[in-house]
């Protein structure tokens, strides 16, 4: 199987191949020659220069790599081409098995506007929104997404709303369908993802400028300038449902993930189950997610995202037609292997009997090469020392090894640290310890920040929402752990030639010279 990705997800998929008895072929750009996924795979094929457009995003190069290495199947991981229907079609046209959903389902969910329409037609509640052209479709959208009482309340707001002043830009006035939502609203790119191409607008007079700048950003980032407007819900929770479909028409949901801890609309900590979801709410969320997946003939693993309001009302946000970064928390809480299930679905097997409810609680923290003290600026450089934590209930999905370069061309996520326990508190405290015991030297990381976040009151209590990190103040970083000092001392005491990256040395780890630990900095 060709693993058309890099980093921790490539490592994760290669491991699943091993378990399934499949041979794996890694691909690598010039910047990734010495990367962990390359060393781990049974074979590896170079696919060109570091920029992703010239390597990991190049369909011809990936197909060529699959051909020359004799692969039968392609797993896209997440990111890169994983949600690209053209890639899925090209893989199948080349006679290879695509480990993912049908291209048509990817396309139906790929545009947020088209996904919203499909969901409304399937009776799934959708975040109230409006197209901005003032077309007939807007009206339909609004009617379907609001229940009677809400529609009446919004109509009252619309009547009371002052006529907005004309502004420069391409919009002379704010469409009534947007006004009826009430402010704030969020302007979104239909093709958007990764938190990009979103503008929160608090007043009608700022709308046209937001629409125009969102269009420019969407065109540059996604090659598509279509934007639309949604009601911006005040501090909801982000709750998503893992679904699996097989080629025999079976679709099941594997509970929810709580992903409300976000920075700039990007998840940083995720857990399963959500502390806010009761069995009754879980049943309703899972039912809506299964309906969403069935509506597009979904096969393989996918995620249906919702925003949950304190009232218990939830609204469809979007569907991700791939494996999700945070899939390990579902795996740990439900004791399943989602990549193995993707493989057996692709081989035509029926879904096995799966647990109806999570038996454990799992929490994941995303470790990034970024500097929390410098506005979370992504960091590049050489990761001199990387030591992973271990212990009961601790899982690390990582794509790095000591000495590896962290390249500016790619996502700065180094690893995901996942802790599992019988209770949420057991999982949380295990994760705090695991983060403290992780050693990353050479580039700044968010490890200490994550530890402090997981110790903060709202997170301890499970009282999170998507706006929390904008206002939460964390205490100053504590002194680094003894493991960090020991690793640093070990590196500093060695001749420069033995430091990884400077030569191909026989250097193997940070603890091969004994050091007395403790005693302060
Ligand atoms: P992307 O595809 O870029 O990830 P999403 O539509 O999935 O964008 O939204 C990402 C995050 O942005 C959500 O988890 C939530 O925190 C916030 N968000 C998006 N839409 C809304 C909304 N209508 N109201 C409140 N928050 C929203």
């Amino acid at each position: 199987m060709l693993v058309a990705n890099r980093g921790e997800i490539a490592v994760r998929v290669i491991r699943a191949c091993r378990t399934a008895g499949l041979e794996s072929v890694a691909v690598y750009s010039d910047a990734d020659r010495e990367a962990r996924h390359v060393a781990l795979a049974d074979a590896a094929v170079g696919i060109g220069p570091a920029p992703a457009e010239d390597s990991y995003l190049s369909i011809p190069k990936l197909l060529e790599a699959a051909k020359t290495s004799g692969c039968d199947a392609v797993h896209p991981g997440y990111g890169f081409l994983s949600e690209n229907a053209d890639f899925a079609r090209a893989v199948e046209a080349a006679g290879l098995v695509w480990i993912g959903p049908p291209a048509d389902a990817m396309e139906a969910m790929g545009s947020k506007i088209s996904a919203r329409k499909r969901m409304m037609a399937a009776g799934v509640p959708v975040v109230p929104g409006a197209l901005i052209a003032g077309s007939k479709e807007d009206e339909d959208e609004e009617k379907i997404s609001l229940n009677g009482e809400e529609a009446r309340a919004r109509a009252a707001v619309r009547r009371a709303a002052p006529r907005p002043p004309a502004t420069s830009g391409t919009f002379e006035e704010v469409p009534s369908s947007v006004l009826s939502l009430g402010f704030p609203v969020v302007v979104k790119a239909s093709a958007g993802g990764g938190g990009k191409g979103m503008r929160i607008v608090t007043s009608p007079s700022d709308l046209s400028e937001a629409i125009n700048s969102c269009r420019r950003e969407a065109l540059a980032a996604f090659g598509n300038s279509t934007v639309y407007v949604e009601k911006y819900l005040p501090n909801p929770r982000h709750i998503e449902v893992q679904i699996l479909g097989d080629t025999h028409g079976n679709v099941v949901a594997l509970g929810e993930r709580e992903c409300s801890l976000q920075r700039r609309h990007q998840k940083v900590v995720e857990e399963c189950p959500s502390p806010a979801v009761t069995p009754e709410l879980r049943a309703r969320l899972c039912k809506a997610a299964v309906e969403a997946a069935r509506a597009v003939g979904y096969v393989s693993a996918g995620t249906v995202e919702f925003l949950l309001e304190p009232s218990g009302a939830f609204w469809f946000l979007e569907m991700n037609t791939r494996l999700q970064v945070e899939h390990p928390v579902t795996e740990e809480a439900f004791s399943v292997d989602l990549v193995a299930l993707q493989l057996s679905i692709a081989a035509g097997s029926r879904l096995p009997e799966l647990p109806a409810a999570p038996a454990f609680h799992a929490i994941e923290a995303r470790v990034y090469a970024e500097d929390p003290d410098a506005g979370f600026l992504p960091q590049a450089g050489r990761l001199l020392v990387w030591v992973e934590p271990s212990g009961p209930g601790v899982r690390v999905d990582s794509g790095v090894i000591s000495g590896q370069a962290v390249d500016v061309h790619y996502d700065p996520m180094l690893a995901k640290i996942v802790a599992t326990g019988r209770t949420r508190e057991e999982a949380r405290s295990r994760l705090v310890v695991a983060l403290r015991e992780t050693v990353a030297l050479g580039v700044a990381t968010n490890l200490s920040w994550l530890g402090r976040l997981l110790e903060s009151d709202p997170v301890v209590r499970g009282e999170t929402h998507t706006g929390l990190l904008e206002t939460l103040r964390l205490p100053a970083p504590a002194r680094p752990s003894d493991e960090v000092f020991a690793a640093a001392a070990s590196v500093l005491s060695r001749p420069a030639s033995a430091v990884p990256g400077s030569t191909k040395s026989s250097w193997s780890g940070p603890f091969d010279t004994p050091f007395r630990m403790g005693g302060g900095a």
Side-chain angles (χ1 to χ4, degrees), residues 112 127 186 188 192-196 198 230-233 236 238 259 262 265 305 307 317-318 466:
K112 293 192 189 208
V127 180
V186 53
K188 281 192 184 179
K196 280 203 210 87
M198 277 172 46
E230 267 177 25
K231 176 158 183 60
Y232 192 70
L233 304 177
H238 175 119
C259 309
Q262 305 180 348
H265 309 301
E305 298 190 333
L307 293 179
L317 189 59
E318 64 164 352
T466 58

Side-chain angles (χ1 to χ4, degrees), residues 121-135:
V124 175
V126 170
V127 180
L131 301 173
I132 50 169
S135 69

Side-chain angles (χ1 to χ4, degrees), residues 112 116 127-128 184-186 188-198 200 222 228-240 259-260 262 264-267 305-307 316-320 322 465-467:
K112 293 192 189 208
R116 289 168 58 81
V127 180
V185 295
V186 53
K188 281 192 184 179
S190 185
K196 280 203 210 87
M198 277 172 46
I200 297 156
F222 312 110
Y228 70 105
V229 178
E230 267 177 25
K231 176 158 183 60
Y232 192 70
L233 304 177
N235 298 332
R237 286 181 186 251
H238 175 119
I239 305 283
E240 58 185 34
C259 309
S260 300
Q262 305 180 348
R264 301 204 185 112
H265 309 301
Q266 291 249 59
K267 303 158 189 169
E305 298 190 333
F306 297 98
L307 293 179
F316 172 85
L317 189 59
E318 64 164 352
M319 179 167 187
N320 290 326
R322 54 168 163 83
H465 57 79
T466 58

Side-chain angles (χ1 to χ4, degrees), residues 4 264 360 432 464:
R264 301 204 185 112
F360 300 99
V432 169
T464 58

